[in-house]
Amino acid sequence: MAANGAAPVVEREVQKNYWMEHSVDLTVESMMLDSKASDLDKEERPEVLSLLPPYEGKSVLELGAGIGRFTGEIAKKAGQVIALDFIDSVIKKNEDINGHLKNVKFMCADVTSPDLKFSEGSMDLIFSNWLLMYLSDAEVENLAQRLMKWLKPGGYIFFRESCFHQSGDSKRKYNPTHYREPRFYTKVFMGSHMHDDAGNPYELSFIGCKCIGAYVRNKKNQNQICWTWQKVQSQDDRGFQQFLDNVQYKSNGILRYERVFGQGFVSTGGLETTKEFVAKLDLKPGQKVLDVGCGIGGGDFYMAENFDVEVVGIDLSINMVSFALERAIGLKCAVEFEVADCTKKTYPDNSFDVIYSRDTILHIQDKPALFRSFHKWLKPGGKVLISDYCKSAGTASPEFADYIKQRGYDLHDIKEYGQMLRDAGFQEVIAEDRTDQFNQVLLRELDAIEKEKNAFIQDFSQEDYNDIVGGWKSKLVRSSSGEQRWGLFIAKK
């Protein structure tokens, strides 16, 4: 993939030659390497700017500023902007366009050069759009550490990259761009740490990661991905998101679940139950669906491909969304993914025709508040469909109570769950006990895994096999006794 440590000079030379070749015409088309750049820019640029953290009156460092597609817009709000690019003709064009703005300083410099220095803690926001993909792995890792130092405590880093493959249709004799998996960037920036002069430890706190919707809508392409990070003092406990990614939904754990549920799925019954439940939604072409707890995207791809709907899939687990983005390659469907906490996320009222959630809301403690949000986000007449783990009415046994506590679940009986939806304002609420179906699905899944025991162990391990089989048998015991239940809930606004 990328040239590391061994030949940094060669790497920089290759990238510089590449951009000098593509900077002969100083146009939006040449900068975006796409013949439809002007149309894309009208939709994409406002979207990117809308994703930036607040920077009114603040100091902004724009890396890889190019001919100033973002420079002038950022300067409208920022206190001061330093626009930097390593191609002289490009930054001069930026200055020609934006030089009348007194709060912008223009610099020609390579971000990888040790001679490039800014004062520690001098920047409120560091912004880059398509930069890291032109650096080697080692250069990205080194730059992440330097950006942290330049950033004020509480300041933000925002960057956007092309992942997996190219998007633009420009003809290129050679292409040295590094189209990485998103997990590379997440790992590098999450692993960045530093100490200030007083010895205080700092890290980059993950704020968000999402597809650029303009590319999903116009090119059915999920590979344009942006991240937001904040410099914070290091904490021992990074919260529930880290629990999901490091405990319950580790990468290996997700792949094990997918092996059981089927490609693209990490919820009960996989494609079979998805087909059954989605059929109840009466989806129409052009409708907008929000999938809360989208997992690795199987249900979203199914809805988009078969019903021509637009789907926004959100999940709190970075690992889940990373796999979903990988599974999206080549599918050419209108599905947009974002790492987001549904309890903190906001959407305009009446945004969606359908809100869909599979075996996810069991993680949410304040369900009534979430259901009130769902009600606001849905259009009049819109539907919500939820499947979720539930419990029988009354006090749980000590064993089941321990399981619920260990998982951090918040479980309710099916009647109570339905009432929470009514209390949130929903009409025509259907609350069905699907525990018998849950048992049948568990038995089928368990039988399939036991039949392919050797292949499963070969692909994973004996311990993984024992964990899955043991987990499914435990679920069967709990659901067969009636303690653990599975509910299906459908309601209308």
Side-chain angles (χ1 to χ4, degrees), residues 127 131 164 224 274 353 393 456:
F127 170 86
L131 168 71
F164 304 121
Q224 296 298 315
T274 297
D353 298 283
F456 190 98

Side-chain angles (χ1 to χ4, degrees), residues 280-291 303 307-312 348-356 374-385 426 490-493:
K280 297 176 182 296
L281 295 172
D282 193 28
L283 293 173
K284 300 286 193 298
Q287 287 188 323
K288 288 196 72 174
V289 178
L290 174 66
D291 183 0
M303 287 186 276
F307 299 92
D308 196 22
V309 294
E310 296 178 20
V311 187
V312 175
D349 292 359
N350 310 318
S351 290
F352 299 99
D353 298 283
V354 167
I355 295 178
Y356 177 87
F374 284 3
H375 193 268
K376 285 196 300 180
W377 299 343
L378 273 175
K379 296 175 184 177
K383 285 185 179 179
V384 62
L385 184 147
F426 285 99
I490 305 171
K492 190 178 277 191
K493 179 173 177 177

Side-chain angles (χ1 to χ4, degrees), residues 28-101:
V28 172
E29 284 74 18
S30 64
M31 292 297 102
M32 293 179 70
L33 298 168
D34 197 297
S35 62
K36 295 188 173 72
S38 294
D39 291 335
L40 261 176
D41 176 59
K42 287 173 190 167
E43 195 173 337
E44 180 240 39
R45 186 167 21 158
E47 179 182 356
V48 170
L49 290 165
S50 75
L51 297 171
L52 298 184
Y55 59 94
E56 288 79 359
K58 302 289 182 72
S59 57
V60 179
L61 173 60
E62 183 188 8
L63 302 176
I67 61 173
R69 205 159 64 91
F70 289 96
T71 307
E73 296 290 336
I74 292 171
K76 289 177 184 177
K77 292 184 183 178
Q80 59 174 12
V81 180
I82 297 174
L84 182 149
D85 201 281
F86 78 146
I87 302 294
D88 188 56
S89 61
V90 169
I91 200 68
K92 280 181 176 168
K93 175 74 171 181
N94 192 338
E95 190 167 4
D96 288 344
I97 296 169
N98 296 304
H100 64 286
L101 301 168

Side-chain angles (χ1 to χ4, degrees), residues 343-360:
T343 66
K344 296 175 183 172
K345 186 71 185 171
T346 57
Y347 293 102
D349 292 359
N350 310 318
S351 290
F352 299 99
D353 298 283
V354 167
I355 295 178
Y356 177 87
S357 183
R358 296 293 311 278
D359 304 349
T360 293

Side-chain angles (χ1 to χ4, degrees), residues 366-376 412 415-429 491-492:
D366 192 352
K367 290 179 177 57
L370 181 64
F371 294 158
R372 288 193 295 273
S373 294
F374 284 3
H375 193 268
K376 285 196 300 180
H412 298 263
K415 183 179 178 184
E416 185 182 8
Y417 206 114
Q419 189 58 47
M420 284 190 285
L421 286 165
R422 291 186 190 92
D423 292 344
F426 285 99
Q427 309 293 318
E428 301 175 32
V429 177
K492 190 178 277 191

Side-chain angles (χ1 to χ4, degrees), residues 17 20 86 90 102 104 108 120 136 145 148 167 250 255 257 359 405 408 426 435 453 481 483 487:
N17 290 337
M20 286 179 75
F86 78 146
V90 169
K102 301 307 177 194
V104 183
C108 183
E120 187 168 323
S136 71
Q145 289 296 136
M148 269 195 84
S167 294
K250 289 191 290 190
L255 294 173
Y257 283 144
D359 304 349
K405 184 178 178 183
F426 285 99
T435 310
K453 176 179 179 179
S481 71
E483 273 221 298

